Amino acid sequence: MDLKQSSINDLAALLKGLKQNYGWATLRGMPVQDFRVLLDRAARTESERNAIREFDEWIGHGLLEVLSSRSSQRIKAITDFTASLDQPKDEVIASIEKLDRAIALTRADRRLQRAGNTSSVLSKTQHHPASRLILVAGIAILIMAGGFAVTVQIEQYRRELASQKKASASQKNELENLKRELEKQKKTEAEKEQVERLAPSNPAPLPRPKLPEAPPAQTAQPWPVCELFSRESPAQSREVWWPVVGPTDSLDAVRRFCRQDAFRNRDGNVQVASFRDREMAAAFADQLNSSRQHPYTFYVGDPTIYD
């Protein structure tokens, strides 16, 4: 990793601010994970956040302990620290010296240790028990007060992060639901458009006409045009005949008023009569259609060749 001077300056400013707010002893007594959270919360610019990411490995390998080491122990501390990193020793020493000057630790800061941090101070008060108790109580109160304040802020920051993650998850679910609704609506509109496009080729069926009521047997009269059929002679072999057909529901009326031998052909239509000449078949169909005695429509069907 190529350390930038701007990153060193940003990290130095962050450490100096945290030292002034919470005290160096409190910072050194914190777990590494909590100290990282505190650093993240203190960062205000993107460059400061980048500096934290670049020096994250240093913090995990004990950067605070190296900065806290006394001058007599500094060389060994830096040597051990450099051995745990994949960095040139000269570059690490230069960076630590710059951080050390910016933070400006006092002798008292360097004397305090994570465990037994009052031993060197208490040794001077061995012959004064009362002073020793007062000093221990004072140091404990300061450390506890600083640590409690930092712990409260860290917990608050963690709750904020959890709340943000929960809100993000909720927003994600809302977006997914909205996406599904839009896709469903789009699919429905596409199906509607397809139905509208197919509607002209599949018109709604016409209402079925009501069959005319047959008059009493003694007064029933056939459709006059049907008498033309009687003039046709029987079909001969290999002759082509043209059928006159009508709707399937006209069978009863056709048999009653026109041809008793009318039938439904293989297409399901009612075949009324057949003619050798297509023009005669068309004329017969037109006369049937012009009659006001029925509501049906008749037409000339496909020709048939008789064996």
Side-chain angles (χ1 to χ4, degrees):
M1 179 178 63
D2 184 16
L3 298 176
K4 299 179 181 179
Q5 293 300 317
S6 59
S7 298
I8 298 174
N9 294 336
D10 289 333
L11 182 63
L14 287 172
L15 292 177
K16 184 177 181 181
L18 292 177
K19 175 203 168 190
Q20 292 173 352
N21 291 333
Y22 304 108
W24 189 253
T26 300
L27 298 180
R28 287 192 59 202
M30 295 174 60
V32 175
Q33 186 62 32
D34 290 347
F35 178 68
R36 286 175 175 146
V37 172
L38 192 62
L39 270 178
D40 290 336
R41 189 172 180 81
R44 293 292 181 268
T45 64
E46 188 61 30
S47 62
E48 290 178 345
R49 296 185 183 93
N50 290 334
I52 294 173
R53 286 192 290 269
E54 290 184 15
F55 284 94
D56 184 72
E57 184 180 6
W58 288 37
I59 295 170
H61 284 79
L63 176 61
L64 298 186
E65 283 73 10
V66 175
L67 292 173
S68 302
S69 61
R70 304 179 191 178
S71 57
S72 59
Q73 302 171 347
R74 177 61 60 89
I75 296 177
K76 184 178 183 305
I78 292 177
T79 300
D80 295 340
F81 181 68
T82 305
S84 63
L85 301 172
D86 186 17
Q87 294 291 327
K89 183 176 181 180
D90 295 340
E91 185 176 356
V92 174
I93 293 174
S95 300
I96 289 178
E97 289 179 351
K98 188 164 187 177
L99 292 173
D100 195 18
R101 290 193 298 271
I103 299 172
L105 296 178
T106 64
R107 290 184 178 180
D109 292 331
R110 297 184 191 281
R111 282 198 299 268
L112 292 174
Q113 302 295 327
R114 179 177 297 179
N117 53 9
T118 61
S119 59
S120 60
V121 179
L122 294 177
S123 63
K124 300 180 181 179
T125 61
Q126 291 179 354
H127 303 291
H128 302 280
S131 300
R132 180 179 179 181
L133 291 175
I134 293 173
L135 181 59
V136 170
I139 293 174
I141 290 173
L142 289 175
I143 294 175
M144 290 176 62
F148 179 75
V150 174
T151 302
V152 170
Q153 290 197 2
I154 291 174
E155 288 300 323
Q156 182 180 359
Y157 182 60
R158 287 177 175 173
R159 286 195 296 270
E160 290 176 358
L161 287 178
S163 177
Q164 291 176 2
K165 290 181 179 179
K166 185 176 180 180
S168 298
S170 176
Q171 292 176 355
K172 184 178 180 181
N173 291 334
E174 291 180 0
L175 289 175
E176 291 294 333
N177 292 335
L178 179 59
K179 183 179 179 181
R180 284 193 292 269
E181 289 295 330
L182 291 175
E183 291 178 351
K184 183 178 179 181
Q185 182 178 0
K186 184 177 180 181
K187 182 179 179 180
T188 302
E189 292 177 353
E191 292 176 351
K192 183 178 179 182
E193 291 178 358
Q194 185 177 5
V195 171
E196 291 176 352
R197 286 198 304 268
L198 296 177
S201 60
N202 296 284
L206 296 175
R208 300 182 63 179
K210 184 178 180 180
L211 293 175
E213 296 182 0
Q218 64 274 16
T219 60
Q221 296 294 329
W223 298 338
V225 67
C226 295
E227 296 176 359
L228 295 175
F229 181 78
S230 62
R231 293 199 294 268
E232 284 291 328
S233 59
Q236 301 297 322
S237 176
R238 307 307 298 174
E239 283 187 336
V240 178
W241 285 68
W242 299 84
V244 175
V245 296
T248 185
D249 54 0
S250 66
L251 180 61
D252 291 341
V254 171
R255 285 179 175 177
R256 184 181 302 173
F257 300 108
C258 188
R259 289 291 303 174
Q260 294 182 357
D261 58 352
F263 61 93
R264 287 192 179 92
N265 59 22
R266 61 184 179 182
D267 295 328
N269 299 316
V270 175
Q271 183 165 326
V272 182
S274 296
F275 296 86
R276 291 187 178 90
D277 185 270
R278 190 184 189 285
E279 293 182 359
M280 184 177 293
F284 180 69
D286 290 341
Q287 292 183 33
L288 278 176
N289 292 333
S290 63
S291 175
R292 297 183 179 179
Q293 295 177 287
H294 64 82
Y296 308 108
T297 300
F298 298 90
Y299 58 94
V300 179
D302 295 332
T304 301
I305 301 176
Y306 286 88
D307 296 333

